[in-house]
Structure formats: C-alpha cells, structure tokens
Amino acid sequence: MTRDFEDHCWRDIVSDEILRVYEPYHREVYVGERPALLAIDLYNLVYRGGAREPHEIIAEHPSSCGKYAWDAVEPTKALFAAARNAGIPVLYTTAPTTSSVVATNRQAGLGSSDEDYEIFEAFAPQEGDIMIVKERASAFYGTPILPELNRLGIKSLILCGESTSGCVRASAVDAYSAGYHVTLAEECVFDRSLLSHKVNLFDLHHKYADVLGVDEIVTHLERSERAA
C-alpha cells in the first residue's frame, strides 16, 4: 500500500485547512538515483546529558538534543548499515573547534575541544568516508562538498542528523538548489524542540525534499544492493 503523502509526524499539529492549502505540493516521493548518505553534525555535543528532555539538561549541556538525539540512534544505525551494505558513499559534516565564525547566532554551548566535535561512536566514520568541516549551517556553504559529490558521481542525497530546523534544513535547501534530489529519513533527523522538528519537516517535505520513513529508505537500498 502506498503511504499517504501526509502520513508523518506532523499530522497531529497541522490542521485540515492547512493541509488543503498544501495539496498542490503532493507528488510521488522516492529515493533518488545514485545516492549518497549525508550525516549532518552527529557529533558528541548533541548527545551530552543522556536521554533526558532538553530543558532538563540545557543549563549544563546547551548543545544537547537530549532524548530526541538518543531516540534517533537506533533508526540511524539501521540507515548507516543499509547504506554501507549497499555500497553508497557516506559523508559527514562537523564543525571546526577553533573559529571566529559560528553556524548560527546561538551564543552558548559551543564545543571547545576536538572530542566535542568528533562523530558519535555509534556512527564512527570508516575508511573511505568523507568528512566535511563547515562553519555555517549548510554543508554546502564555503565547503568542498560539491566537488566531492561530482567526483563520486552523486545525483541525490539521503540526509540524517541535526538539527531539523537548523543545519539539516539549510543543507537540504542548498542541496535542492544545487540540483540534487533530497530524501530526509524521518526518524533519523531531530531537533531540540519537537514542535520545530515537526513544522520544519512538514515545510521541507512540501517544498524541497521527500520525507520518507527509515524503513522505506532501507528497503530501497536493500533492493538496490540485490540489483547491483
């Protein structure tokens, strides 16, 4: 059975009237051809304080996404496993530890050590993976990602990571603007605010990207692996 276009996490906060306004955006959604997995800012800072509500740990860990980061761990591990089994390229973004430029106007909670911006151990890079160090929200601004994607022959991107309203959104919009088909793994992107997460996924899905469940993406990659 084909999944309904609006059958996603935002359905409990978006009214029927708003859904009617956005009906012209309805279309077939899919994983694009020759994809790569782009993991946005899955570094240690966002997991600090454990699987608690962000407001409970913000005083000590201002960069943490708390339980929302931890809830995404297992789905993201499944996505990584499927990507590696299918042999598609894996790219990561992280932030520099020393820079006068920051990704957003948030003033507190920036990391101060290499370990803060190392990729969380559950998603540790492997030989051949590509690390993109960025100083702004988008993976595409002031970085060598476009030459790398061109070199690899990539035509589409699967995105996971954080935050949905920040660096994921900025990277998805810039990828779309650069001509890539963008797929967002719904259970594998997260934010400090569940409301911001849902609203931004809704907006991205209707304008710039295809939001798919991680199970749908994994199934596609498994089929691609068998067909190879």
Side-chain angles (χ1 to χ4, degrees):
M1 179 179 296
T2 303
R3 186 176 187 178
D4 183 82
F5 189 80
E6 303 291 356
D7 183 19
H8 293 283
C9 63
W10 56 78
R11 192 59 186 88
D12 62 332
I13 65 166
V14 180
S15 69
D16 290 339
E17 291 79 10
I18 292 174
L19 291 176
R20 193 173 308 121
V21 171
Y22 280 82
E23 283 181 358
Y25 291 97
H26 287 201
R27 63 194 182 275
E28 180 185 359
V29 294
Y30 58 94
V31 176
E33 63 175 331
R34 297 169 70 176
L37 176 62
L38 177 57
I40 305 294
D41 296 355
L42 291 176
Y43 43 66
N44 289 322
L45 271 180
V46 302
Y47 298 91
R48 300 281 197 243
R52 298 163 62 192
E53 293 287 347
H55 70 270
E56 297 175 348
I57 55 180
I58 191 172
E60 187 175 356
H61 304 289
S63 288
S64 179
C65 289
K67 73 179 298 293
Y68 303 122
W70 287 91
D71 287 348
V73 168
E74 290 304 319
T76 306
K77 285 169 65 175
L79 179 63
F80 266 84
R84 296 199 185 284
N85 288 338
I88 70 172
V90 177
L91 299 90
Y92 299 80
T93 70
T94 190
T97 54
T98 56
S99 175
S100 60
V101 178
V102 294
T104 73
N105 284 327
R106 181 165 52 90
Q107 298 300 308
L110 300 178
S112 58
S113 70
D114 290 344
E115 196 269 339
D116 286 332
Y117 291 112
E118 289 178 358
I119 302 302
F120 188 59
E121 61 182 358
F123 319 115
Q126 298 183 7
E127 184 177 355
D129 294 343
I130 296 170
M131 186 68 65
I132 302 294
V133 178
K134 63 182 179 65
E135 293 186 322
R136 292 299 192 188
S138 173
F140 288 80
Y141 188 85
T143 77
I145 191 170
L146 283 174
E148 290 291 347
L149 295 175
N150 289 335
R151 178 180 64 83
L152 295 166
I154 298 304
K155 299 298 183 183
S156 64
L157 292 169
I158 301 166
L159 266 61
C160 64
E162 62 88 27
S163 65
T164 314
S165 63
C167 296
V168 169
R169 182 187 178 98
S171 299
V173 172
D174 280 359
Y176 171 84
S177 299
Y180 293 93
H181 180 271
V182 180
T183 301
L184 296 175
E186 181 172 352
E187 300 90 343
C188 305
V189 294
F190 53 94
D191 208 304
R192 294 168 186 85
S193 160
L194 191 57
L195 177 61
S196 290
H197 169 73
K198 291 182 178 184
V199 168
N200 279 276
L201 270 189
F202 172 82
D203 201 50
L204 286 165
H205 184 58
H206 289 79
K207 297 177 181 177
Y208 308 116
D210 289 353
V211 175
L212 294 178
V214 65
D215 56 334
E216 297 173 285
I217 299 172
V218 167
T219 297
H220 171 86
L221 292 174
E222 290 174 343
R223 288 173 179 168
S224 299
E225 179 189 1
R226 290 194 295 267

